[in-house]
Amino acid sequence: MKTLYVKFIVITTSMMLISFILAFLVSNSYYHQKVKPVNDQKNTKIALNIAAFAKEHPMTNLGNYLENISAVGYQLYLVDTRGNGHFFGERFRDQILPRSTIQRVINGDIYHGILDFPRKTFVTGFFANELQNTIGVPLEHNGKSYALFIRPDIKFLFKEMHVLFGWILLLAISLTILMVLILTKFLIKPISTLTTATKSLANGNYHVNLDVKRGDELGQLSRSFLQMARRLEQMDDVRKEFISNISHDIQSPLSNIKGYSNLLNNDSISKALRTQYVSIINGEIKRLSSLTKQLLLLASLDRNEEAVKKRLFNVGEQIRGLIRNYQWAISEKELMLSFSIPDIEILGDPDLLETVWDNLLSNAIKYNVTNGSIEISMEERGKSVIVTFVDTGIGMNDREAERIFERFYRADTSRTRSVEGTGLGLSIVSSIVKLHNGTITVKSKEKAGSTFIIKLPVL
Ligand code: ADP
């Protein structure tokens, strides 16, 4: 039983067979309990009537009379006291009957062969064409004693209608089997299509053709399958883009390093140029190092919970310390910084959260304008702590603001191009906040500034 198709057919046919056997057993039991005694009584009455008629009409030719009775659908056996027997009508398949039984009937007993016929033959007992399966009554004619055994001739019972019903039953069974064969194929077809689709998906072809119009469970399955294929395609695109971005971001500093170190090989260049080239090379190395660090962090964040080592710590103190570290950069850009940061303890990973504040503050400085301002505030609201970074920097339009949490995304404007960055910072921030079951939102306006709001659970 390999395919679903074969399984389905075997199960349906077995069910039909079992139903047939059960129906046979039930009707058999019904025959033995209800039909057999009625049948016995009916035939006893007929046999007694025949015997009574024979007794009352001594002048009638008994042989002819019984011959006529057999012609209307009976099998008869007449035995006299000396054991001479005569059959009328259709022959009995089995003609054995004990002498004692015959003798008892001649002596006046009634033989109920139909009622007492062995049960083991099931309902077929009714059809058993045997002398034992008869009714025996004493018969007197012309002063002579006989025993008369009769049973209805089965051939007469099966009229045209019965044959017709038999055919109808046979046809119904054959048609049902045929329908099962055809319908099963129809039912299994979408599953085979899905299997083909799965194979093609496994080979990297995401454009699969499925019937999603069906209203049943298979239609639902096909729709979910298509959704999954689309999602996989998107993930594959993201992966390809990610790889091409990394390759580009690694390749460009490497070729810069190669170019400038070749230039350094030239002995004739001035000392000033030499210092400039070395500083460029150092800058590119720094860029590469920060890129690899960020990539490593992203990879560890992708491993979810494993990366987060939570403990209770004072987040207010952490942010204030960070501001102190950035004081020089803030003064250099002549920025105004104000903050209101109370001591609040939260349960989180201090190292990861430090990366969050570091990114947000360095961005607020990087993307700010000379003489701009930065405002940082923190407050506890219910079971959450809310940290807000507001800057009066270059800001972003809505389209850019929507994409800043994507990996490698950098708003491609003349204003950002001059600023160093990898485009990974905010995607790291968003992953860390998510891993702390928090949220991050941004509100920004071009040339006016940006506001980043982070909400984290205290515990
Ligand atoms: P990076 O700063 O390395 O480019 P980020 O992921 O930190 O990468 O930021 C992604 C982009 O979002 C930046 O390139 C910049 O265009 C925009 N951005 C981030 N912070 C700000 C901000 N405070 N003001 C304006 N634009 C910002």
Side-chain angles (χ1 to χ4, degrees):
M1 282 217 288
K2 262 193 187 146
T3 62
L4 197 60
Y5 179 67
V6 176
K7 268 187 198 169
F8 198 86
I9 285 170
V10 170
I11 289 170
T12 334
T13 358
S14 320
M15 266 165 52
M16 279 164 65
L17 208 76
I18 291 168
S19 319
F20 182 76
I21 293 170
L22 279 176
F24 178 78
L25 288 175
V26 170
S27 46
N28 177 63
S29 159
Y30 180 76
Y31 167 77
H32 282 295
Q33 304 301 326
K34 301 269 184 219
V35 181
K36 210 160 79 164
V38 176
N39 220 0
D40 184 274
Q41 260 177 24
K42 201 172 71 188
N43 285 303
T44 309
K45 210 169 145 195
I46 292 167
L48 286 172
N49 280 343
I50 295 170
F53 183 87
K55 191 175 179 184
E56 282 160 21
H57 298 85
M59 302 312 283
T60 319
N61 183 319
L62 188 59
N64 285 348
Y65 172 54
L66 294 181
E67 204 65 65
N68 285 337
I69 297 282
S70 75
V72 295
Y74 285 93
Q75 289 167 274
L76 302 109
Y77 178 54
L78 187 73
V79 208
D80 64 16
T81 43
R82 271 176 290 157
N84 296 324
H86 204 84
F87 288 97
F88 301 90
E90 192 69 23
R91 264 179 66 85
F92 286 94
R93 186 177 53 78
D94 187 340
Q95 300 182 344
I96 299 158
L97 197 63
R99 262 218 72 81
S100 56
T101 308
I102 296 170
Q103 198 51 56
R104 252 183 279 132
V105 174
I106 290 174
N107 291 344
D109 275 3
I110 293 179
Y111 170 69
H112 291 284
I114 292 182
L115 189 66
D116 302 331
F117 199 79
R119 264 160 193 267
K120 63 177 191 294
T121 45
F122 288 117
V123 83
T124 46
F126 178 66
F127 305 108
N129 182 15
E130 295 176 23
L131 191 51
Q132 273 188 58
N133 195 15
T134 53
I135 297 290
V137 290
L139 185 143
E140 264 180 49
H141 185 253
N142 247 341
K144 273 170 123 186
S145 293
Y146 300 91
L148 174 71
F149 296 87
I150 76 161
R151 62 173 263 103
D153 189 346
I154 285 302
K155 264 196 202 154
F156 278 81
L157 288 177
F158 282 98
K159 305 267 165 50
E160 290 87 340
M161 275 310 276
H162 291 102
V163 175
L164 192 71
F165 281 133
W167 274 110
I168 290 174
L169 187 73
L170 203 76
L171 213 68
I173 292 172
S174 324
L175 280 177
T176 314
I177 292 174
L178 197 75
M179 297 277 239
V180 167
L181 285 171
I182 296 168
L183 282 178
T184 312
K185 245 210 155 70
F186 175 73
L187 268 175
I188 302 295
K189 202 170 167 253
I191 297 178
S192 315
T193 322
L194 262 172
T195 315
T196 322
T198 319
K199 277 184 193 151
S200 106
L201 199 70
N203 289 331
N205 173 23
Y206 299 100
H207 299 279
V208 285
N209 202 5
L210 289 173
D211 178 13
V212 287
K213 286 194 206 93
R214 289 174 72 116
D216 57 7
E217 285 84 349
L218 284 169
Q220 239 169 24
L221 184 64
S222 304
R223 281 191 290 278
S224 309
F225 189 89
L226 276 192
Q227 266 174 10
M228 185 186 77
R230 233 169 280 139
R231 185 98 190 82
L232 280 174
E233 188 178 13
Q234 279 170 1
M235 276 163 65
D236 200 40
D237 287 347
V238 168
R239 187 180 59 86
K240 282 180 188 146
E241 201 187 314
F242 187 66
I243 291 171
S244 96
N245 279 331
I246 294 178
S247 318
H248 173 263
D249 278 43
I250 290 175
Q251 193 53 45
S252 71
L254 279 179
S255 46
N256 280 347
I257 291 170
K258 189 168 176 258
Y260 283 105
S261 35
N262 282 345
L263 286 177
L264 279 178
N265 252 343
N266 189 344
D267 292 336
S268 65
I269 56 164
S270 70
K271 193 162 184 255
L273 266 181
R274 190 176 293 272
T275 322
Q276 192 196 340
Y277 294 164
V278 170
S279 129
I280 292 174
I281 291 173
N282 272 335
E284 293 295 44
I285 290 173
K286 224 171 92 193
R287 205 172 120 194
L288 265 180
S289 148
S290 106
L291 178 71
T292 39
K293 264 189 213 146
Q294 283 182 316
L295 282 173
L296 276 174
L297 182 58
L298 262 181
S300 81
L301 291 177
D302 282 345
R303 271 183 267 127
N304 291 334
E305 272 73 35
E306 283 170 45
V308 188
K309 292 180 179 64
K310 285 187 186 174
R311 67 174 170 83
L312 265 181
F313 74 101
N314 188 333
V315 67
E317 197 181 302
Q318 183 179 52
I319 300 177
R320 288 197 304 268
L322 190 80
I323 294 172
R324 271 196 301 278
N325 292 348
Y326 273 98
Q327 208 64 61
W328 63 270
I330 294 165
S331 325
E332 198 180 54
K333 216 164 173 177
E334 293 164 29
L335 299 174
M336 252 270 296
L337 182 119
S338 59
F339 59 87
S340 136
I341 306 169
D343 284 328
I344 298 175
E345 287 225 318
I346 67 161
L347 185 70
D349 185 320
D351 292 339
L352 292 180
L353 288 174
E354 171 112 16
T355 313
V356 171
W357 320 131
D358 195 318
N359 266 294
L360 293 172
L361 183 54
S362 64
N363 279 352
I365 299 168
K366 269 199 303 190
Y367 302 109
N368 219 318
V369 288
T370 321
N371 288 322
S373 68
I374 300 171
E375 203 183 306
I376 307 170
S377 63
M378 181 164 89
E379 59 168 325
E380 201 171 344
R381 226 181 274 166
K383 287 179 177 162
S384 307
V385 56
I386 293 163
V387 189
T388 316
F389 286 74
V390 186
D391 68 62
T392 54
I394 58 169
M396 296 165 264
N397 60 33
D398 289 347
R399 224 170 0 97
E400 289 164 346
E402 252 175 46
R403 300 194 54 194
I404 52 172
F405 298 110
E406 287 175 21
R407 290 177 185 187
F408 289 107
Y409 180 77
R410 303 200 72 207
D412 189 22
T413 62
S414 50
R415 285 160 290 131
T416 46
R417 238 174 277 147
S418 55
V419 184
E420 282 232 334
T422 56
L424 286 174
L426 284 181
S427 68
I428 290 175
V429 166
S430 137
S431 299
I432 294 174
V433 171
K434 256 190 222 144
L435 284 172
H436 280 79
N437 301 318
T439 55
I440 178 163
T441 44
V442 59
K443 283 182 218 153
S444 191
K445 204 164 174 224
E446 240 173 330
K447 292 185 187 139
S450 316
T451 304
F452 287 86
I453 304 163
I454 294 101
K455 191 174 170 193
L456 291 172
V458 175
L459 289 175

